[in-house]
Amino acid sequence: MSGAAPSPLAQLDIMVFPMQIEKVYEPQRFEPHWAQWWIDSGIFRASDKPLPRVFSLVIPPPNVTGSLHIGHMLEHAEIDVTIRWHRMRGDNTLWLPGTDHAGIATQMVVERKLAEEGIDRRALGREKFIERVWEWKAQFGDQIKRQMIRLGASCDWSRERFTFDPGLSQAVREVFVRLYEKGLIYRGEYMVNWCPRCRTALSDLEVKRVETQGNLWHIRYPITEQSPSPQPPTPSPVAGHVVVATTRPETMLGDTAVAVNAKDPRYFHLHGHTVDLPLMNRRIPIILDDLADPQFGTGAVKVTPAHDPNDFEAGKRHNLPRIKVIDETGHMTAEAGPYAGLDRFEARKRVVEDLEKLGLLEKVEPYTLAIGRCDRCKTVVEPLISTQWFVRTKPLAEKAIDVVETGRIQFIPENWTKTYFEWMYNIRDWCISRQLWWGHRIPAWHCPACGEIIVAREAPAACSRCGSSELTQDPDVLDTWFSSALWPFSTLGWPDETPDLKLFYPTSLLITGFDILFFWVARMVMMGCEFMGEIPFHQVYIHGLVRDAERQKMSKTRGNTIDPLVVIEKYGTDAVRMALLLGAAPGTDIVLSEDRMESTRGFANKIWNAARLLFVKMETSGVEPWLPKNLETYRPEGGPSIEVAIEDRWIFSRLNTCAEQVNRAIEQYRYHEVAQLLWHFFWHEFCDWYLELKKARFTENSGLTADWRNTLAAFETALRLLHPAMPFLTEELWQRFKGDAPRPVSIALTEYPQYRRQNTDYAAEREIGVLQEIVTLARTMRTDLQLDPKLPLTGTLHARGDAFEIGGRHADSIRKLAGVSLDFTTDPAPDGAARRSTSQMDLVLDVPQAQLDAQRRRLKKESEQLEKNIANSRRQLSDETFLSRAPAHVVDTLRDKLADYEAQLAKIKA
């Protein structure tokens, strides 16, 4: 189907199945076999031939340090449904897998391993440390791959990539050099987010703002110089002092000014004055700057250019000195005077204590603030001035905005487009250098002799300015997201003009989470447009989060995480996939619970039992495994009477409708609808109705009759429809039913059922619909009257329209399915009889008088109890005292109960 040529070994490796099927559905028995067989057979390899239709998708590369979590399983299930569907439609389909080298995360893991051996990476040295990382990667780096294979991901593993592969490393250097040559990469001293634990700069996106309860310290700065002022004096907030408020008092040691707003009348008399910086015996100016907001606090703010991004900009405007009092490890520098060497938070305590002793702490008040933490290690980030490498992003963002505005890239759900634009229109330059050892080394060399910086694809032999050969490569590495931004084209061979690049770029679709929309998606769009002159993908589907049964976000702290490898052992991979897909409506989060997985396992078991029923009946009838030569053109056959059985006409029509709806749902990424449609068809149409109607036609030693051919063809069609969602179960059953039929080696390579107008049979659907209505009425009535399910009943169907003829034709089926022998008439139903009605029929059952009397007594008792409950509920809800004191949820629950009681009573009296 996809043009891929499976390995010759593929056909030799398939299990040989006995005629009987195991009584119990045990997915753990066959899932590992098919997971490995799919890979060994090579059936998921994309073709390198230019077939008419191509569908390609690159995986959001998981970190090489990680293991799959339930969010990965959701994402991979959605991708796999789409990939398998395209492959079965005949598209040349590529799902390109790979992992990310994860700079900070991997370095932290290996550092911890070294620490267990009593080794510090700095003592080990850079080269030896990198060797240890590669050793770790060789030992543990394939864990994600093994897990993905076990979960059935239908990737082309022959094209697996790693962001540190030689080819991808070449692409990274090429991009860096080209951007530098265009002036879009530069090196400069700026305020950056610094992690004292990871000892590296972080981009804004790598900092998570966590709302934290802190304090706001109000500190008195004594006014010193009293020079004349042209403005009439206005009393200061505290005579002789300017009061400033700060959430980080330790940074005051590096203050180089106090700012007031030029329009704030409270400080007109202080223009041109100075204050004494408490604790440091340093005189600093009062400056006029819009940094000070008259509406906030006292209207005066401290200015610390070396430790706050806004103060840094104010410092540039006023040419203020930058005094660094906190270093890269989070300790106080020598510039902090008596606090030098203290941890920054210990220094905070000491500073506050000393201010209090001097009477310079006016007040302390609780204050909620968003503290920046390193997304990787959760350490509080420190704003520091540092020399770093940056990407000038605005020119790149212009193209990336245009391709979304003009619809060349579509976000699904569409509301993410607005989020994308908000970030792109306000984009800031991207700090791409990291002070790590594991990562793509920045391709820049420094000449100590003349200070020249040479950016090159390969290490230069000598300085281009002075000719010195004593060059040192920049010690920093690139942000991991820099190499990830090139993923859609670097994985296909760029900068070389490879056949894969020509065939599969731009990719068709990206499926990913909203949390990396800016980290990754936006940057891929920028880089793709810049270096390929083409978008990296046509559509971006953003999926939701997986939440627990109480709709809480999963986290290790809450202890509510779900390990996919644990639950697939308990329920089976297909059941967990279905549980995830059922909740995966676009734009919503997915609620996953043990109950849902238990339910979807029951669904898988239902399909297994249906197959087992067929095998048992096939053995009785003397039928060998069989499938039609060409399922795509197969039409239900007639038996000895030439007529096609009504249930066969009906099931093929329903299969046709199901195919139409499922194809549309997959195409629109409505994965919840895919799961719901397949569930409804298989459980409620194929199993509950078709097989129940059909099994009466299977007779001993009949051989392969038209009834059997129709049933087996319908079952194969249903398995193909289900395959993208539940690949393991469908492969296992399809291989058992395939026999010697001329088929591909796997159901994954068969044609996906498509809607065909000629297969729709409205007359058959109408006829079976009437039959279902009659049986359902009889079953409901039996249940409502609490009659013994096995008690044979008689009755009369008072039918209108074609229900009279249809009911008569199917009297025997009604008797078998509902346990009711009916007479049929077009006369109206008598008054007072035990009956149930629809628009086209009244069903009257001959219920024994004793049963009717018991039913009346039961209903009377239930009515009396319901009336009491209703009266009590209404009394409570009319009590103003109760309503004013009871919690809202208690009142809401009581109202819901009242509505339920009233509905039950209305049903009894109907």
Side-chain angles (χ1 to χ4, degrees):
M1 294 297 302
S2 66
S7 159
L9 294 176
Q11 300 185 46
L12 301 177
D13 235 3
I14 297 177
M15 290 180 176
V16 177
F17 297 105
M19 186 67 171
Q20 286 289 350
I21 190 170
E22 292 78 3
K23 289 184 178 180
V24 180
Y25 169 61
E26 294 177 330
Q28 298 78 9
R29 180 184 52 76
F30 58 81
E31 285 185 354
H33 166 80
W34 292 119
Q36 193 58 49
W37 181 84
W38 285 327
I39 305 308
D40 295 342
S41 65
I43 63 172
F44 299 146
R45 290 180 197 151
S47 174
D48 55 7
K49 296 181 176 63
L51 298 178
R53 293 200 311 264
V54 173
F55 183 87
S56 59
L57 178 151
V58 292
I59 192 172
N63 285 353
V64 71
T65 55
S67 59
L68 292 182
H69 53 67
I70 201 67
H72 285 126
M73 188 170 181
L74 166 69
E75 184 170 276
H76 294 176
E78 292 178 339
I79 293 173
D80 199 49
V81 166
T82 298
I83 287 290
R84 287 178 183 268
W85 178 69
H86 275 280
R87 189 180 290 118
M88 293 176 76
R89 292 179 69 217
D91 299 348
N92 185 12
T93 304
L94 171 65
W95 178 6
L96 191 149
T99 48
D100 192 287
H101 67 276
I104 294 177
T106 305
Q107 181 153 324
M108 285 176 63
V109 167
V110 178
E111 281 186 15
R112 281 197 293 265
K113 294 285 184 187
L114 290 173
E116 291 170 7
E117 301 172 29
I119 301 173
D120 181 270
R121 73 172 169 93
R122 291 171 183 81
L124 190 64
R126 184 169 193 146
E127 287 188 14
K128 292 290 184 184
F129 177 78
I130 297 299
E131 287 177 13
R132 290 294 297 266
V133 179
W134 279 111
E135 288 173 12
W136 177 91
K137 199 267 181 187
Q139 186 175 358
F140 301 105
D142 281 345
Q143 180 173 322
I144 286 272
K145 178 179 178 179
R146 291 193 299 272
Q147 291 172 341
M148 286 183 64
I149 289 172
R150 173 61 187 86
L151 293 174
S154 61
C155 302
D156 182 349
W157 292 103
S158 70
R159 287 175 165 90
E160 181 186 7
R161 297 291 183 265
F162 177 51
T163 50
F164 234 150
D165 284 345
L168 276 69
S169 296
Q170 179 192 356
V172 167
R173 290 193 301 274
E174 184 67 28
V175 165
F176 188 97
V177 173
R178 288 194 195 181
L179 290 176
Y180 181 81
E181 290 172 348
K182 288 185 71 171
L184 295 178
I185 281 182
Y186 62 93
R187 189 169 183 259
E189 189 180 56
Y190 286 89
M191 180 70 65
V192 297
N193 305 297
W194 185 270
C195 175
R197 163 64 183 81
C198 298
R199 307 271 183 95
T200 184
L202 304 172
S203 72
D204 291 341
L205 293 175
E206 292 168 299
V207 178
K208 294 300 178 188
R209 299 289 167 184
V210 181
E211 197 167 274
T212 307
Q213 187 59 49
N215 289 311
L216 193 62
W217 285 271
H218 294 255
I219 304 168
R220 298 169 179 165
Y221 283 42
I223 300 168
T224 51
E225 184 180 326
Q226 299 294 324
S227 60
S229 170
Q231 300 292 341
T234 303
S236 60
V238 175
H241 297 88
V242 174
V243 178
V244 300
T246 180
T247 58
R248 301 198 303 152
E250 69 280 7
T251 62
M252 68 174 290
L253 306 174
D255 285 359
T256 55
V258 168
V260 297
N261 194 288
K263 298 177 182 177
D264 190 339
R266 293 172 294 178
Y267 298 107
F268 283 169
H269 67 294
L270 293 181
H271 293 186
H273 286 239
T274 62
V275 295
D276 281 336
L277 179 62
L279 308 178
M280 297 303 289
N281 299 317
R282 189 165 67 241
R283 186 170 292 185
I284 59 176
I286 296 174
I287 62 172
L288 308 181
D289 197 280
D290 289 341
L291 178 68
D293 180 0
Q295 305 303 315
F296 179 77
T298 64
V301 295
K302 58 193 284 301
V303 183
T304 320
H307 294 287
D308 182 275
N310 294 321
D311 294 4
F312 176 76
E313 295 300 326
K316 287 199 293 185
R317 290 192 292 271
H318 296 273
N319 199 27
L320 297 175
R322 303 166 186 166
I323 301 176
K324 182 177 179 180
V325 293
I326 301 174
D327 68 14
E328 285 75 13
T329 68
H331 289 79
M332 308 308 288
T333 68
E335 294 282 4
Y339 307 95
L342 292 178
D343 174 81
R344 54 187 166 155
F345 298 116
E346 178 60 29
R348 177 179 297 179
K349 285 193 230 172
R350 298 274 189 92
V351 165
V352 170
E353 288 170 3
D354 291 347
L355 288 170
E356 206 161 14
K357 287 175 188 174
L358 293 171
L360 296 176
L361 187 63
E362 180 166 286
K363 66 177 178 178
V364 182
E365 57 184 354
Y367 189 77
T368 302
L369 66 160
I371 290 183
R373 291 185 177 272
C374 173
D375 189 39
R376 181 59 54 189
C377 71
K378 313 310 176 191
T379 301
V380 174
V381 167
E382 194 64 44
L384 292 180
I385 294 174
S386 178
T387 300
Q388 301 288 342
W389 292 88
F390 294 83
V391 172
R392 208 180 305 277
T393 49
K394 282 197 179 295
L396 299 172
E398 289 172 4
K399 299 174 188 174
I401 290 169
D402 179 70
V403 294
V404 176
E405 283 184 334
T406 56
R408 294 178 61 201
I409 293 179
Q410 177 190 11
F411 282 92
I412 305 163
E414 199 274 334
N415 60 286
W416 288 109
T417 305
K418 181 182 177 183
T419 309
Y420 173 86
F421 285 143
E422 284 174 355
W423 190 70
M424 294 299 280
Y425 277 118
N426 297 287
I427 198 167
R428 296 171 60 181
D429 285 358
W430 174 15
C431 176
I432 56 171
S433 47
R434 298 292 179 271
Q435 288 64 53
L436 303 170
W437 286 352
W438 175 246
H440 293 283
R441 192 90 173 259
I442 288 179
W445 285 262
H446 299 263
C447 177
C450 67
E452 181 73 355
I453 298 175
I454 303 111
V455 171
R457 293 167 180 81
E458 303 294 338
C463 176
S464 56
R465 177 190 286 180
C466 71
S468 171
S469 60
E470 299 295 322
L471 302 179
T472 305
Q473 187 171 1
D474 197 289
D476 291 351
V477 300
L478 287 162
D479 177 8
T480 297
W481 294 103
F482 188 89
S483 54
S484 299
L486 320 181
W487 188 250
F489 54 91
S490 65
T491 53
L492 296 172
W494 189 91
D496 297 333
E497 290 289 337
T498 65
D500 272 6
L501 189 64
K502 184 177 180 182
L503 190 58
F504 297 113
Y505 190 93
T507 62
S508 311
L509 170 70
L510 179 73
I511 295 181
T512 189
F514 65 85
D515 53 331
I516 54 175
L517 178 59
F518 308 129
F519 273 123
W520 190 46
V521 180
R523 288 166 176 170
M524 283 192 289
V525 178
M526 289 192 289
M527 293 300 189
C529 291
E530 175 67 20
F531 291 98
M532 295 298 297
E534 180 59 279
I535 56 175
F537 26 71
H538 293 285
Q539 292 182 310
V540 181
Y541 177 75
I542 306 288
H543 62 70
L545 289 174
V546 182
R547 297 181 179 272
D548 67 12
E550 281 71 47
R551 304 193 67 84
Q552 294 293 311
K553 186 176 180 181
M554 292 187 183
S555 70
K556 291 178 181 177
T557 307
R558 289 193 181 97
N560 62 348
T561 56
I562 294 176
D563 184 339
L565 298 176
V566 171
V567 291
I568 67 167
E569 286 303 313
K570 184 175 181 181
Y571 300 107
T573 307
D574 288 329
V576 180
R577 280 171 67 119
M578 276 296 279
L580 289 165
L581 293 172
L582 279 168
T588 63
D589 289 343
I590 294 87
V591 175
L592 185 64
S593 65
E594 295 277 344
D595 287 346
R596 173 169 280 181
M597 289 184 282
E598 192 71 55
S599 176
T600 48
R601 191 189 190 284
F603 175 60
N605 191 62
K606 183 86 171 178
I607 298 167
W608 184 266
N609 285 340
R612 185 168 178 273
L613 170 69
L614 290 176
F615 266 115
V616 169
K617 294 292 185 181
M618 287 166 68
E619 190 169 23
T620 302
S621 297
V623 176
E624 293 294 322
W626 176 90
L627 294 176
K629 288 184 179 179
N630 191 333
L631 184 66
E632 292 71 41
T633 59
Y634 184 84
R635 298 293 301 275
E637 300 177 9
S641 66
I642 308 301
E643 287 189 9
V644 178
I646 186 67
E647 67 271 13
D648 289 333
R649 291 169 51 200
W650 172 76
I651 199 63
F652 275 89
S653 185
R654 294 307 303 147
L655 275 166
N656 197 40
T657 299
C658 187
E660 179 186 27
Q661 294 171 338
V662 171
N663 275 287
R664 185 187 305 121
I666 297 177
E667 188 173 25
Q668 296 174 352
Y669 315 115
R670 303 185 68 80
Y671 298 104
H672 67 303
E673 287 184 10
V674 174
Q676 290 164 2
L677 288 164
L678 293 169
W679 182 298
H680 177 79
F681 172 80
F682 236 115
W683 193 307
H684 299 295
E685 295 185 327
F686 189 86
C687 294
D688 285 356
W689 290 102
Y690 179 68
L691 286 185
E692 291 302 312
L693 288 166
K694 198 70 197 170
K695 64 185 180 183
R697 297 188 189 268
F698 301 143
T699 57
E700 287 189 29
N701 301 316
S702 65
L704 187 62
T705 61
D707 285 313
W708 269 116
R709 287 192 292 272
N710 293 339
T711 298
L712 294 175
F715 191 58
E716 187 194 4
T717 305
L719 289 177
R720 290 192 191 185
L721 278 172
L722 185 60
H723 176 72
M726 302 181 80
F728 290 101
L729 175 61
T730 51
E731 184 76 82
E732 175 77 6
L733 295 178
W734 184 84
Q735 294 286 356
R736 289 171 177 267
F737 280 92
K738 182 165 75 81
D740 296 327
R743 289 286 189 274
V745 294
S746 168
I747 190 174
L749 299 181
T750 60
E751 183 174 328
Y752 199 75
Q754 298 297 310
Y755 172 77
R756 291 178 171 84
R757 184 179 299 175
Q758 65 270 25
N759 290 347
T760 298
D761 191 330
Y762 294 116
E765 292 202 30
R766 164 67 182 162
E767 185 151 336
I768 295 296
V770 171
L771 169 62
Q772 290 173 324
E773 200 168 346
I774 296 169
V775 172
T776 302
L777 279 179
R779 288 173 174 173
T780 303
M781 196 168 178
R782 185 189 288 271
T783 301
D784 289 347
L785 296 173
Q786 295 188 349
L787 302 177
D788 183 348
K790 296 180 180 179
L791 177 68
L793 296 173
T794 58
T796 303
L797 186 76
H798 299 265
R800 294 175 283 280
D802 61 356
F804 173 74
E805 292 182 2
I806 292 173
R809 279 200 298 273
H810 296 288
D812 191 50
S813 294
I814 293 167
R815 179 181 58 78
K816 290 175 181 176
L817 294 174
V820 178
S821 297
L822 293 177
D823 292 326
F824 299 88
T825 179
T826 56
D827 296 336
D831 294 334
R835 67 178 177 181
R836 290 292 182 273
S837 303
T838 70
S839 61
Q840 55 187 353
M841 67 188 74
D842 301 297
L843 177 63
V844 178
L845 291 185
D846 301 325
V847 181
Q849 190 60 43
Q851 294 281 358
L852 285 175
D853 291 342
Q855 169 74 352
R856 290 192 187 98
R857 289 193 297 272
R858 182 179 65 80
L859 291 178
K860 182 182 179 187
K861 186 175 180 180
E862 286 183 11
S863 297
E864 290 171 352
Q865 184 59 52
L866 285 168
E867 286 168 351
K868 286 180 183 178
N869 293 344
I870 289 169
N872 288 336
S873 298
R874 285 175 176 169
R875 185 176 63 254
Q876 279 186 283
L877 289 170
S878 63
D879 185 341
E880 293 299 330
T881 304
F882 168 76
L883 293 175
S884 65
R885 293 180 178 177
H889 73 274
V890 172
V891 176
D892 289 342
T893 300
L894 190 57
R895 286 185 176 129
D896 291 342
K897 284 183 177 180
L898 173 59
D900 186 47
Y901 294 148
E902 290 172 338
Q904 290 181 53
L905 185 60
K907 183 179 178 182
I908 289 172
K909 291 183 175 181

